[in-house]
Amino acid sequence: MRIVAADTGGALLTEDYEPVGLIATAAVLVEKPYRTATLSVVRYANPFDYDMSGRQAVKDEAFLAVELAREVKPEVIHLDSTIGGVEVRKLDEPTIEALTITDRGKEVWKDLAKELRPLARRLWEETGIDIVAIGKSSVPVRIAEIYSGIYTAKWAIDYAREHGKVIVGLPRYMRVELRPGRIRGESLDSREGGLFGEVEAETDGIGWELYPNPLVRRYMVLEAWRE
Amino acid sequence: MRIVAADTGGALLTEDYEPVGLIATAAVLVEKPYRTATLSVVRYANPFDYDMSGRQAVKDEAFLAVELAREVKPEVIHLDSTIGGVEVRKLDEPTIEALTITDRGKEVWKDLAKELRPLARRLWEETGIDIVAIGKSSVPVRIAEIYSGIYTAKWAIDYAREHGKVIVGLPRYMRVELRPGRIRGESLDSREGGLFGEVEAETDGIGWELYPNPLVRRYMVLEAWRE
Amino acid sequence: MRIVAADTGGALLTEDYEPVGLIATAAVLVEKPYRTATLSVVRYANPFDYDMSGRQAVKDEAFLAVELAREVKPEVIHLDSTIGGVEVRKLDEPTIEALTITDRGKEVWKDLAKELRPLARRLWEETGIDIVAIGKSSVPVRIAEIYSGIYTAKWAIDYAREHGKVIVGLPRYMRVELRPGRIRGESLDSREGGLFGEVEAETDGIGWELYPNPLVRRYMVLEAWRE
């Protein structure tokens, strides 16, 4: 199976580890044996001006995933929204009403569907590729999350090179490592069976430290600075 | 403490990783230090004709566990059903009604109790051994689950030898490894403190690959083929 | 950030792994990189005469944490009670009523607040240090939990030296190791990013074994005996 998935993660943090805004939306192409991405793309947000409601993230993910999918022609697109694996092109009002989610979630999806349903329908009509809102159950979505963390580290390096120093929070239970010419990221959850990713990056002249976020158990913090 | 436990796990999968049916019910004898089984037995189901409602699994587990218990005389039998560690022989209608489980769960247990309560009562009267529905809290139940995964791998080898190729899904966060003359299985959850199992098996002439199920995070897939 | 946290853990167990009572309340000073404690103190309870309702534990933790905080002057104190990170000094009746916790939890906190609110207010007025009920989200609280497990092992050694033999249960998914002159404890949850602790202890002449508690998955048991 060839699957495209997208997810948004990584946050700029204050000195007190308070989140300022999210940093990176990553879309990935995942193929057997489903442990890493064959291909990845990123779209950076402006963390200093970020809508933390979560609605923006799902839209960014859908559009970036569709862009990648039109290029690499997967069998299906996985989005990180847990509404039972429904195809997004089928999300009319009665279908949304019938979902076993909160009333608040239904309102959000009625709003999201206005933009995402036409997007999904067009993609399906033109390519036969479906977008499914499978959420946390999908391994490709988790791999996209790991890549959003790796790209967050890349963003942090560039930011530190320009501004001197930065603190970012990575997505849940993952770590990154700056190596010569690249950044490697790995899941810290042994139950996931060894998910990881790698992205090329200029890491020279950057000092860094990775440690647990003291305020949010199971999330790591990356500090980077110009040396 | 000497504990007998049973669990059912491992599923035949289609090429698209859709479950067809469950494969193996394993019963184990677990003794201190409670990391693996001293003894294990298996009963294979027919995955091509399987009642996925879950009711069949609990019955198979109870009967297989009782069979093993009559042989090895443990202090207690653990079943994988989370109804608060109640003794199965005490499950009359008022007791079931008083359980803090869903109405659906109560209906299922009223039905199950018709067969399992006499079984449990007879065992207790004849041997003093109790059957308790302790569920996920029990380490022996988890070890039985790991053995059901190992036996599923054994079933897959035999199936591949006969039919050429097969894909099976293992129970939650565990891996298997085919070694000369045996199959080893291990929990992938580091928090469990190193649970594992081993079963003798003819592994010659079989190729295999283990990787994450892309559709169900934290579950591994085993592919096996005749070489 | 310099954070003081406290937690209670470790239980004396019967031969059948039934809990008798809790053993150790630990308070720790945690500083960047937040993987272990810079300083730790312990107060032992009498496990043979222990109020298992949990109310006693929170009080012991608050008083021990305040004692340590007056000495080491942290920026904040973290308590293991999940009421959304509220400052304890602000817990008047209307604030408690507005918490999104169970009615039972509200009654408990109304009672606890009688002693803890004056304690928190005095500390804050005199030192500017706040006590927040942040609970499981806090890494320092988890480090305090790991230290309560290490001190439980120390208590077990002393008990075994005097009485010959003892069985204790450690806090969730952690292990301990007796080494010459010290006890080391580590989280077994890989997602936490490597939390650990160490305490000096006389370990000579003591035999020990660590294994999974068969009745409570993800919890380890320590047996210690005089050699």
Side-chain angles (χ1 to χ4, degrees), chain B residues 91-99:
Chain B
L91 282 175
D92 53 15
E93 289 232 357
T95 304
I96 293 173
E97 272 305 330
L99 294 173

Side-chain angles (χ1 to χ4, degrees), chain A:
Chain A
M1 260 178 138
R2 302 174 74 244
I3 304 165
V4 160
D7 200 16
T8 302
L12 178 64
L13 302 181
T14 67
E15 293 273 329
D16 294 334
Y17 309 111
E18 295 297 332
V20 175
L22 296 186
I23 292 173
T25 296
V28 293
L29 169 65
V30 174
E31 297 173 281
K32 204 175 135 188
Y34 314 108
R35 280 209 181 82
T36 189
T38 314
L39 209 75
S40 72
V41 293
V42 65
R43 184 143 308 158
Y44 288 114
N46 176 3
F48 297 100
D49 177 26
Y50 196 88
D51 163 26
M52 294 288 273
S53 79
R55 218 171 293 198
Q56 190 54 46
V58 178
K59 281 189 207 169
D60 289 349
E61 292 158 17
F63 281 93
L64 190 62
V66 166
E67 213 178 291
L68 179 59
R70 286 189 175 276
E71 203 180 304
V72 302
K73 309 274 184 244
E75 283 156 72
V76 67
I77 293 178
H78 285 181
L79 285 194
D80 180 20
S81 182
T82 306
I83 53 174
V86 185
E87 292 93 342
V88 173
R89 70 183 158 89
K90 293 181 181 165
L91 282 176
D92 53 15
E93 288 233 358
T95 305
I96 293 173
E97 273 304 331
L99 295 173
T100 54
I101 57 175
T102 62
D103 285 349
R104 173 97 188 98
K106 288 177 188 175
E107 287 314 309
V108 170
W109 264 102
K110 278 178 200 166
D111 187 46
L112 282 172
K114 280 177 205 147
E115 277 183 73
L116 298 191
R117 203 179 161 215
L119 177 82
R121 197 150 45 179
R122 213 175 322 121
L123 181 73
W124 183 74
E125 285 167 1
E126 293 171 18
T127 67
I129 302 169
D130 242 325
I131 305 182
V132 297
I134 181 178
K136 300 293 174 220
S137 179
S138 160
V139 166
V141 164
R142 172 62 174 153
I143 293 173
E145 190 176 46
I146 291 170
Y147 271 84
S148 76
I150 299 172
Y151 281 114
T152 290
K154 187 170 180 172
W155 181 93
I157 290 176
D158 293 344
Y159 188 92
R161 194 165 273 128
E162 192 171 345
H163 300 276
K165 184 178 182 327
V166 71
I167 306 181
V168 295
L170 298 182
R172 75 198 67 207
Y173 32 88
M174 69 166 287
R175 70 171 163 220
V176 292
E177 204 185 319
L178 274 58
R179 299 181 177 182
R182 61 203 172 94
I183 301 170
R184 184 184 170 88
E186 290 176 353
S187 169
L188 287 172
D189 188 348
S190 55
R191 299 173 301 171
E192 293 179 346
L195 308 183
F196 70 97
E198 247 175 39
V199 162
E200 289 187 18
E202 181 52 72
T203 58
D204 279 5
I206 295 293
W208 62 284
E209 185 176 12
L210 186 86
Y211 55 83
N213 184 330
L215 305 182
V216 198
R217 202 183 295 187
R218 294 190 287 274
Y219 285 75
M220 302 296 128
V221 161
L222 174 71
E223 281 193 31
W225 59 87
R226 195 169 49 211
E227 282 196 320

Side-chain angles (χ1 to χ4, degrees), chain C residues 19 40 59 98 108-109 118 141 153 183 199:
Chain C
S40 72
K59 282 188 206 169
V108 169
W109 264 102
V141 164
I183 301 170
V199 162

Side-chain angles (χ1 to χ4, degrees), chain C residues 23-86:
Chain C
I23 292 173
T25 296
V28 294
L29 169 65
V30 174
E31 297 173 280
K32 205 176 134 187
Y34 314 107
R35 280 209 181 81
T36 189
T38 314
L39 209 75
S40 72
V41 293
V42 65
R43 184 143 308 157
Y44 288 114
N46 176 3
F48 297 100
D49 177 25
Y50 196 88
D51 163 25
M52 293 288 274
S53 79
R55 218 171 292 198
Q56 190 54 47
V58 178
K59 282 188 206 169
D60 289 349
E61 292 158 18
F63 281 93
L64 190 62
V66 166
E67 213 178 292
L68 179 59
R70 285 190 176 276
E71 202 180 303
V72 301
K73 308 275 184 243
E75 283 156 73
V76 66
I77 293 178
H78 285 182
L79 285 194
D80 179 21
S81 182
T82 306
I83 54 175
V86 185

